[in-house]
Amino acid sequence: MKPRKPVSVIILAAGQGTRMRSKLVKVLHAVGGRAMVLYPVDLALAIAKDPHRIAVVMGHQAERVKEIVSGADVCTVVQTRRLGTGHAVAQAQTVFQGRRGNEWRKQRFLVLSGDTPLLTEATVRDMLALHERQEAAITVLTAHLDRPAGYGRVVRGGQGYVSRIVEDRDATPDERRLTEINAGTYVIEGDFLFPALTDLKPTNVQKEFYLTDIVSAAVRQGKAVAAYLADNPVEVMGINTRRELAEAERLVRARIRGRLMAQGVTFLAPETSFVDADVTIGQDTIIHPHTTLEGHTKIGEDCVIRSHTRIVDSVLGQGVAILDGCVIEGSRLDERCTIGPFAHLRPGTIIRRAAKVGNFVELKKADLGVGSKANHLTYLGDATIGTRVNIGAGTITCNYDGAHKHHTVIGDEVFVGSDVSFVAPVRIGKGVVIGAGSVVTEDVPAGALIVGRARQVVKPGWVKSRREKAKGGKH
Ligand code: UD1
Ligand code: CA
């Protein structure tokens, strides 16, 4: 068998997506918590392996698109005027010139659309295999849809061979009744592709250079055109409107949960939990109804996430319990700690092993030591708290003086009574005991007891004597 040709990938992402009615370019709209364009980028990386074999064609808001795809290190080119999908592909030619200027002749191209996030690697691999078997110049991904409106239709000739693709807007009423659609995904031989693009004519309703016209060009040149019919029509879904975006969102979220369940995660009401594509969850973790897990969150094994909780870009160790109604952002929670109900952990927070954060507690850039507890009505900001510290109900770090933020340091095994204010910057030594209601303004050495509040005044019999004085006054 002759060695396979290397596959390069061109991703079309220059269009604005007018039908979205958005200020944001279509391919940057999020599906499953990440920009739509990243789905074909991931697929391209899986197929081509080398990011330098991948070109993303950008146009509208190119700078923003470039920023999003830059993490993958792929090549980008700008299509300055949006003259159609054929024109867009032609812009990528420069990326594949190589040293001799015509490297593209020896390559095989996979063309992906930036607006088709549900396409799977398995389908693309099958399609590449079919292309190879049939020694085709071009292989088109197609699907039968119950509602094909809006898509280009695949027109087949007498013996069932693909003869051309006609756009919905250019189609005759008979052609519009065809249910086999063009998914906008192609495998094309480089030596056929780029010369064919130079021959395109914008003789259609939209006056654009259609990539789809190279199908009939191949047929005219006597080249083999193959069609790979997708088993699952859902995969080919292109997103052009907000309705389609919502539908893709639903499907991608279901896929993510399906994958996690296959990995051993329990969802009590899967359709009510929203998990972003990049979230990972360990085995035997239980996700209760109405939960949202976002960004690059990583959750360990044997955790429980109760209802109405939102976790963003956070890392949870093993056996962590998040009770109802918590918001957790940019935080690290070590094994066996318990959070909530109704706690807010803001960015920069670290909760160490077996520590507890309870009802109506807010933390920001705070490090709560191993086994320490802040169980009720507390704010800890810009604070470092040692191990086995008890933070009494209603305790607050006064970290902001109106101009600057200051730090509070609380040593190991400190006992903080209820309703204590730490006026930062302030440092509390190991094992200190702080009386309830104290306002702590000065550093405290290890082992001390401090009570920093107004002394209680008791006047025995005061109420009765006031009443008598009042009576006397009336006579
Ligand atoms: C295209 C196909 C259609 C197919 C459908 C599948 C053509 C002419 N039509 O139609 O047969 O059924 O996809 O989803 O190819 N783009 C550019 N530059 C341009 C124009 C478009 O980069 O000048 C990009 C868009 O950003 C988008 C992709 O190409 O990611 C497809 O463009 P779009 O306008 O959505 O094409 P459709 O009308 O959906
Ligand atoms: Ca489209």
Side-chain angles (χ1 to χ4, degrees), residues 19 26 85 113-116 150-151 183-184 236-241 244:
R19 289 166 278 177
K26 176 167 74 177
T85 48
S113 199
D115 68 351
T116 309
Y151 289 93
V236 308
M237 182 181 169
I239 291 158
N240 300 303
T241 64
E244 287 163 344

Side-chain angles (χ1 to χ4, degrees), residues 3 17 23 26 41 85 115 129 150 173 178 180 239 271 315 359 460:
K23 293 183 283 299
K26 176 167 74 177
V41 166
T85 48
D115 68 351
L178 295 170
E180 190 182 7
I239 291 158
E271 58 293 341
V315 179
N359 311 260

Side-chain angles (χ1 to χ4, degrees), residues 416-431:
V416 181
S418 296
D419 188 30
V420 169
S421 302
F422 292 97
V423 181
V426 69
R427 299 179 76 90
I428 312 300
K430 186 176 173 183

